[in-house]
Amino acid sequence: MTALALGPSWLDPDYLIQTFGLIGILVIVFAESGLLIGFFLPGDSLLFTAGLLVATDQYLHYPLWLVCTLVVISAVLGDQAGYLFGRKVGPALFRRPDSRLFKQENVEKAHEFFEKHGPKSLVLARFVPIVRTFTPIIAGVSEMRYRSFLVFNVVGGVLWGAGVTLLGALLGQIAAVRENIEAMLVGIVLLSVSPIVVEYLRARRKKRESGNSGDAPASGASGDVRPGSAPSGSPEDGGQRGRHARR
């Protein structure tokens, strides 16, 4: 396999696996699943590459079921760590100043994602870079019921951890995929960030629409009925006229 020319070489999945092996994969999955410092790590492409290397018996000489099981455990434990961190830190997380490895914007995005999708966000966020790191932390800050959190955490860990690894193993048996692994990894990266791009464009459109609506002229033109006033010819008006006629 050739190195993927995306980002720094030390974030290349092939380089990481060759250098750190299965232990490195598990540590990265754990960190990206719930540690604040893990949001930039290559989760999707790393798991896909791991599955491909297991299927082709390169670098990772382990049974596929064992790799999938250990990846799922690491993903679940990572979310667990994020949840406990969120419970401990609480709302103070939203007042934490920006730093080199922490951006308040990432917390706000994860919070919006959690508010929009509820508990199932723990499953959906697994497939969205950056958001998957902060969502279990937001669940802890929101004091989500632990039993519900654990269920969705396990479901998400299995679907993402085992699912992406198995996908890499299945496609890795196809010669065309092995010969064009760089293109496949680029496609996975683009596919994984597409929800963020869609959400960004949607937010920009909403902001533009709200700005246009704010420029519209205020209502209250002639013929409009003011709140609390009775329109001409209404029962209230007719009652007044009737009382004057009887006098």
Side-chain angles (χ1 to χ4, degrees):
M1 282 179 61
T2 56
L4 178 65
L6 277 180
S9 60
W10 54 272
L11 284 180
D12 171 39
D14 190 43
Y15 169 81
L16 290 171
I17 294 174
Q18 288 187 52
T19 305
F20 303 105
L22 181 58
I23 298 298
I25 296 173
L26 301 180
V27 170
I28 290 173
V29 168
F30 176 86
E32 197 192 7
S33 294
L35 301 185
L36 289 176
I37 61 173
F39 69 92
F40 62 90
L41 296 171
D44 300 306
S45 56
L46 182 73
L47 293 182
F48 183 89
T49 304
L52 186 148
L53 293 177
V54 170
T56 56
D57 199 25
Q58 301 180 57
Y59 310 131
L60 295 176
H61 307 290
Y62 303 96
L64 181 61
W65 67 266
L66 178 61
V67 174
C68 290
T69 301
L70 293 177
V71 165
V72 169
I73 293 174
S74 295
V76 171
L77 292 178
D79 263 30
Q80 175 75 22
Y83 176 83
L84 294 177
F85 176 78
R87 287 293 292 263
K88 183 177 181 180
V89 174
L93 180 67
F94 292 90
R95 298 190 295 270
R96 181 171 176 171
D98 286 353
S99 64
R100 202 169 183 181
L101 292 177
F102 177 83
K103 298 296 181 184
Q104 192 62 238
E105 179 185 2
N106 293 333
V107 177
E108 293 170 359
K109 286 180 180 178
H111 183 260
E112 292 174 2
F113 193 87
F114 185 78
E115 289 293 320
K116 180 179 180 180
H117 299 288
K120 66 181 180 181
S121 62
L122 292 166
V123 177
L124 300 176
R126 288 286 190 180
F127 300 89
V128 184
I130 301 178
V131 175
R132 70 167 149 255
T133 303
F134 289 90
T135 298
I137 300 175
I138 297 301
V141 173
S142 304
E143 297 186 354
M144 178 181 177
R145 278 183 50 191
Y146 179 72
R147 182 177 297 179
S148 298
F149 168 81
L150 184 60
V151 171
F152 285 98
N153 179 18
V154 172
V155 172
V158 171
L159 292 178
W160 178 68
V164 178
T165 306
L166 287 172
L167 180 64
L170 291 174
L171 295 181
Q173 300 177 22
I174 303 175
V177 173
R178 293 196 303 269
E179 295 170 0
N180 298 278
I181 184 61
E182 287 193 11
M184 289 296 302
L185 293 180
V186 171
I188 290 174
V189 171
L190 294 178
L191 185 63
S192 63
V193 301
S194 61
I196 297 179
V197 175
V198 171
E199 198 63 32
Y200 171 76
L201 295 176
R202 186 179 301 168
R204 281 193 60 183
R205 186 181 63 186
K206 286 183 179 179
K207 186 176 181 180
R208 187 166 56 248
E209 290 175 353
S210 63
N212 293 336
S213 63
D215 295 336
S219 60
S222 59
D224 289 348
V225 179
R226 296 180 180 178
S229 63
S232 175
S234 67
E236 292 184 17
D237 185 54
Q240 293 289 345
R241 291 179 182 177
R243 282 194 290 273
H244 285 298
R246 285 194 297 269
R247 289 181 182 175

